[in-house]
Amino acid sequence: MSLHRRQFLRFACTVATCGVAPWPTTASAAQTGSLTRWAGDLRQHGHVDARGAAARFFDPRGLCAEPSGGVLVADAANALVRRIAPDGTVSTLAGVPELRKTVEGPASQAGFVGPDALAVGADGSVYVADSYANTLRVLRNGVVSLLAGADQLPGYADGAGPQARFNHPVGIALDPRSGDLLVADAYNHTIRRVARDGLVSTLAGTPGINEHRDGPVRHALFNTPVGIAVHGDGSIYVSEYFNHDLRRISPHGEVSTVAGLAGQPGDLDGPGPSARLRRPQQIAFDATGVLYIADAGNRQLRALGRDGVLRTLAGRPDAELAAPGPLPAALGTPYGVAPGPGGTIAVSSGQAVLLVRGSA
């Protein structure tokens, strides 16, 4: 399978960070904490189930926390769903390595094209955004099945299960109030909702229009939404890759910008409207309500506190490759983010999953 679409967002990010034009940077505050490798090798890819540095991934992307303290990994180029136990032991939950083909059935025989994001339901079901197949899949009771979309048929359509169409669904999150799956449908520039019976509807955005407009949800516009997370109060947060910002959909259906300025990439900490991001990828809340952002273009892990202030937790814009050590250390280009064991934050970068220990 061609990796063209997988490479597109990553290439755009590389161009943005390596251009000659400077951008404003945040003043570095004193930081305490560390960046450590949890599992995988930063440089070498492969498929090995093992513990810690002996394990191998191939383009690990979206991460999702488990109640047990483990983290699930969308191992995109391996076309697998993997799990990292709290002690760093990696196992394969579903898929055939590098099959890159849609196959339904028992987890060990199922096939994915290129999974990008994961979510775990209250019943233990694992939802998979198989982004490069333009489908949403579910692993339930050891069996992988289609939830919505049509295999490798990009498009836009609401409707029941296989009648629905997506165009590169990237971020997913479960709405704890309804049990519905929320989807950042990147190339349709929309936020979609998938009910438990597979019925797909559009929550926000207009397909084919990549703009920025706040206000009532029926009029709001988005530009390449890629990350999505749900706050405890029911608010839905969305990261926008090409708008360089974070948006919030309130429980009452109002869309606002909570960090960054649309169309103005940069690297600046501070209160939401004055802060700057550069091509943010996936996002996740911790148990305290802090929102963590894989700020890919700035090669940093950022945190939006409950006070509405954006802060840099780890990483440096000038460091192309990840290098564990005392914070800020170097993250390389982060993609997935999720709460990890023992109060850490897990971040996928390169061919590994790292742990950030520090305070936001």
Side-chain angles (χ1 to χ4, degrees), residues 114-141:
D116 209 295
L118 305 167
V120 178
D123 64 352
S125 297
V126 178
Y127 295 86
V128 183
D130 198 353
S131 303
Y132 304 97
N134 293 298
T135 59
L136 299 170
R137 317 277 292 284
V138 59
L139 168 61
R140 181 179 290 125
N141 298 323

Side-chain angles (χ1 to χ4, degrees), residues 110-320:
F112 300 92
V113 177
D116 209 295
L118 305 167
V120 178
D123 64 352
S125 297
V126 178
Y127 295 86
V128 183
D130 198 353
S131 303
Y132 304 97
N134 293 298
T135 59
L136 299 170
R137 317 277 292 284
V138 59
L139 168 61
R140 181 179 290 125
N141 298 323
V143 176
V144 175
S145 59
L146 176 72
L147 179 64
D151 182 28
Q152 301 191 63
L153 291 177
Y156 170 79
D158 287 338
Q163 280 72 53
R165 295 292 182 271
F166 299 89
N167 194 352
H168 202 61
V170 180
I172 58 175
L174 282 163
D175 184 339
R177 300 167 301 169
S178 64
D180 294 347
L181 188 69
L182 302 170
V183 184
D185 192 6
Y187 295 164
N188 276 327
H189 313 292
T190 55
I191 308 303
R192 316 286 290 279
R193 182 184 289 275
V194 186
R196 282 179 287 185
D197 61 2
L199 182 64
V200 178
S201 58
T202 299
L203 174 63
T206 300
I209 300 180
N210 54 331
E211 297 287 349
H212 176 279
R213 182 193 294 162
D214 286 336
V217 69
R218 65 184 180 277
H219 297 308
L221 296 175
F222 295 81
N223 187 352
T224 321
V226 291
I228 192 164
V230 183
H231 188 271
D233 67 2
S235 298
I236 300 166
Y237 285 72
V238 178
S239 59
E240 294 185 281
Y241 191 83
F242 285 119
N243 267 340
H244 314 287
D245 62 13
L246 296 173
R247 313 282 291 281
R248 175 181 181 263
I249 305 173
S250 77
H252 304 295
E254 288 290 323
V255 178
S256 59
T257 302
V258 295
L261 181 64
Q264 297 294 321
D267 174 18
L268 190 65
D269 287 347
S274 64
R276 295 292 180 269
L277 297 141
R278 183 176 292 270
R279 292 176 169 82
Q281 292 277 13
Q282 297 201 339
I283 59 178
F285 280 102
D286 70 7
T288 70
V290 174
L291 182 68
Y292 292 88
I293 306 106
D295 190 2
N298 284 320
R299 298 174 175 146
Q300 294 171 335
L301 176 65
R302 315 287 291 279
L304 184 69
R306 297 184 300 276
D307 57 2
V309 175
L310 188 72
R311 299 175 175 88
T312 299
L313 185 59
R316 303 194 315 270
D318 62 344
E320 183 177 355

Side-chain angles (χ1 to χ4, degrees), residues 6 10 39-42 44-46 56-63 72-78 80 82 84 115-116 282 333-337 347-354:
R6 177 177 294 119
R10 185 163 286 179
D41 186 285
L42 288 166
Q44 296 184 358
H45 70 263
R56 293 291 182 272
F57 299 95
F58 192 0
D59 194 17
R61 294 175 76 76
L63 305 179
L72 302 183
V73 183
D75 195 3
N78 267 329
L80 301 172
R82 314 283 292 279
I84 310 176
D116 209 295
Q282 297 201 339
T333 302
Y335 187 90
V337 60
V347 182
S348 59
S349 181
Q351 306 301 335
V353 179
L354 311 171

